[in-house]
Amino acid sequence: MRTEKRKKERSRKLAWEILEYLLLSFATALFTYGFLCTTAVSLGEAYLAGRGISVTEAQNMVFHLWLRSICILASVPVFLSLFLVMLGQRLSYLLSIIKGVERLEEKQMDFHIKLEGNDELTRLAESINVLAQSQLRISRQEREMQEEREMFIRSLSHDIRTPLTSLISYSQIVGDREGLTPEETASYIRLVQEKSQQIKELTDRLLGEKQAGREQVEDLRFLMEQMAFQWEEILEERFACRIDLEACGRTAGTLDVGGLWRIMDNLASNVEKYADPNRQVELTVSSRGREICLVQRNGIREGALGEVESHGLGLVSVSQIARSMEGTVESGEKNGIFEVRITFLMAE
């Protein structure tokens, strides 16, 4: 009921505005008529008096009727012109609104209708502007979400390839090498199992069946020793590795352990792609309170950046994981040494 009442009030307001145009035009035409009539009668009487022409009462009535008719004919165009000009302004504004609606239908949201007046047309233009801005914002958010989703899929697909490559390598080692001790065979089988489980978890996340989450960690130093040991096992056959965990405390808390494994796999993968095998690869892990800092340094193999096809997805994935743990990633090259510095927070 209130909405219908408001609509009626707005309709009356627009009608009153048109009525104002009509009355203003009529008043202007009436003034024009009075001015022309008075001026014409005065000039006519002055002309007749100057010529010494005398007229009868009947002739005087005809003369005044003739002048008033001419003044009325002259006032009518004034009335129509003024009324149509003022009404035309609102009609042209209506055309602007119609063009805005057409652009809205064509999903062209980058427009703004200028607000003129304070009637229903103005409110309609304002509503269209709000709708266009809302649609533009929604479209931008959908585009950003789509880009994030595509990046999420690309980074996870890249991360799946890393343990898959390790799994293939370990399987080939077990199949091709002769004389492996039972301890070595068991070690490689354990690595294959760990990488297979990691691939399963990543595949579940890719299919939306599992979400990343934090896990309880009782001893940070012990967890990082496990990850560093596996990192070294991946690289030790081609690279001289050095691990420094002296500054890593035995803190307890919660971490995205799966994400941390992905970070270590990506770091090892980058070493295999770009590192100089004649130079030592260093991994340093330190902690201070809740903040954990992980640094990897390696020499850059000559021509590696030009030989290896890469889209930088490894570091992109590492950055995404670090951000999910309230962390940052910094990387750069200096004097032939490439350094990746990852900091993140361990929740209490």
Side-chain angles (χ1 to χ4, degrees):
M1 293 296 292
R2 290 182 178 179
T3 304
E4 292 178 359
K5 186 177 179 181
R6 288 178 181 175
K7 287 182 179 179
K8 290 180 180 178
E9 289 175 353
R10 291 178 180 177
S11 298
R12 283 200 300 272
K13 184 172 182 181
L14 183 59
W16 277 110
E17 189 173 352
I18 296 174
L19 183 60
E20 287 174 2
Y21 294 158
L22 185 64
L23 293 175
L24 181 59
S25 302
F26 181 77
T28 304
L30 188 61
F31 173 79
T32 303
Y33 166 76
F35 175 77
L36 292 177
C37 191
T38 303
T39 303
V41 169
S42 298
L43 291 175
E45 290 177 351
Y47 176 79
L48 294 175
R51 293 283 183 172
I53 302 173
S54 59
V55 294
T56 64
E57 185 66 24
Q59 289 175 332
N60 189 48
M61 289 178 62
V62 172
F63 174 71
H64 281 81
L65 181 61
W66 180 70
L67 287 178
R68 288 191 184 96
S69 300
I70 294 176
C71 293
I72 290 174
L73 291 175
S75 302
V76 169
V78 174
F79 168 79
L80 293 176
S81 300
L82 185 60
F83 178 71
L84 291 177
V85 166
M86 290 189 293
L87 186 61
Q89 291 179 348
R90 303 312 292 165
L91 291 177
S92 63
Y93 190 53
L94 180 60
L95 291 176
S96 300
I97 294 175
I98 292 173
K99 290 181 180 178
V101 174
E102 291 175 349
R103 295 187 65 178
L104 200 62
E105 291 176 347
E106 296 172 358
K107 300 188 182 302
Q108 299 177 8
M109 308 302 174
D110 54 339
F111 70 90
H112 179 79
I113 302 174
K114 185 179 179 181
L115 301 181
E116 298 178 1
N118 188 26
D119 54 22
E120 289 83 356
L121 295 181
T122 308
R123 295 188 184 94
L124 178 59
E126 187 176 7
S127 300
I128 292 173
N129 287 338
V130 172
L131 180 59
Q133 292 301 314
S134 300
Q135 291 296 325
L136 184 63
R137 183 171 60 255
I138 292 172
S139 177
R140 187 183 298 116
Q141 290 174 349
E142 288 178 350
R143 187 167 58 253
E144 291 174 355
M145 290 175 63
Q146 180 66 23
E147 291 175 355
E148 289 178 1
R149 178 64 179 170
E150 291 176 356
M151 180 56 69
F152 170 75
I153 292 173
R154 287 200 298 269
S155 62
L156 268 185
S157 301
H158 174 272
D159 290 351
I160 289 173
R161 289 178 59 189
T162 303
L164 183 61
T165 303
S166 300
L167 191 151
I168 295 172
S169 300
Y170 298 147
S171 301
Q172 288 177 342
I173 290 173
V174 174
D176 297 342
R177 282 190 180 180
E178 296 180 359
L180 286 175
T181 65
E183 291 79 9
E184 289 176 331
T185 303
S187 175
Y188 282 121
I189 292 175
R190 177 181 56 81
L191 289 173
V192 167
Q193 291 173 340
E194 289 178 355
K195 293 302 178 182
S196 300
Q197 182 63 31
Q198 190 175 353
I199 291 173
K200 182 182 182 302
E201 291 178 358
L202 290 172
T203 306
D204 290 342
R205 287 194 61 193
L206 187 61
L207 298 176
E209 297 176 0
K210 183 178 180 181
Q211 298 294 327
R214 291 177 178 266
E215 302 175 29
Q216 182 67 32
V217 176
E218 300 297 336
D219 188 336
L220 175 65
R221 176 75 170 269
F222 178 71
L223 174 66
M224 296 312 301
E225 283 175 350
Q226 286 182 307
M227 293 187 175
F229 173 72
Q230 183 167 315
W231 173 87
E232 185 177 19
E233 279 191 326
I234 295 173
L235 301 174
E236 63 183 354
E237 291 193 3
R238 292 182 55 199
F239 301 92
C241 301
R242 176 179 174 273
I243 299 173
D244 183 3
L245 299 173
E246 291 298 324
C248 182
R250 297 188 177 277
T251 314
T254 59
L255 276 174
D256 181 2
V257 178
L260 204 51
W261 279 110
R262 289 171 59 196
I263 288 177
M264 298 300 292
D265 281 342
N266 276 293
L267 292 178
S269 177
N270 280 349
V271 170
E272 291 180 321
K273 289 179 180 179
Y274 306 118
D276 183 355
N278 298 318
R279 304 178 74 168
Q280 190 178 58
V281 181
E282 299 178 4
L283 178 68
T284 305
V285 182
S286 60
S287 64
R288 186 175 59 182
R290 294 176 55 231
E291 185 179 81
I292 303 168
C293 181
L294 194 154
V295 181
Q296 176 179 281
R297 298 183 184 90
N298 60 267
I300 301 176
R301 178 165 53 85
E302 186 177 355
L305 298 180
E307 294 174 5
V308 180
E309 181 182 356
S310 174
H311 299 284
L313 290 176
L315 287 180
V316 170
S317 177
V318 169
S319 299
Q320 290 177 338
I321 299 168
R323 280 198 301 271
S324 70
M325 295 189 287
E326 304 176 58
T328 59
V329 176
E330 299 177 358
S331 61
E333 180 268 336
K334 186 177 181 180
N335 299 326
I337 300 295
F338 184 76
E339 179 180 293
V340 181
R341 180 178 296 269
I342 305 164
T343 59
F344 53 91
L345 297 181
M346 185 177 191
E348 296 181 356

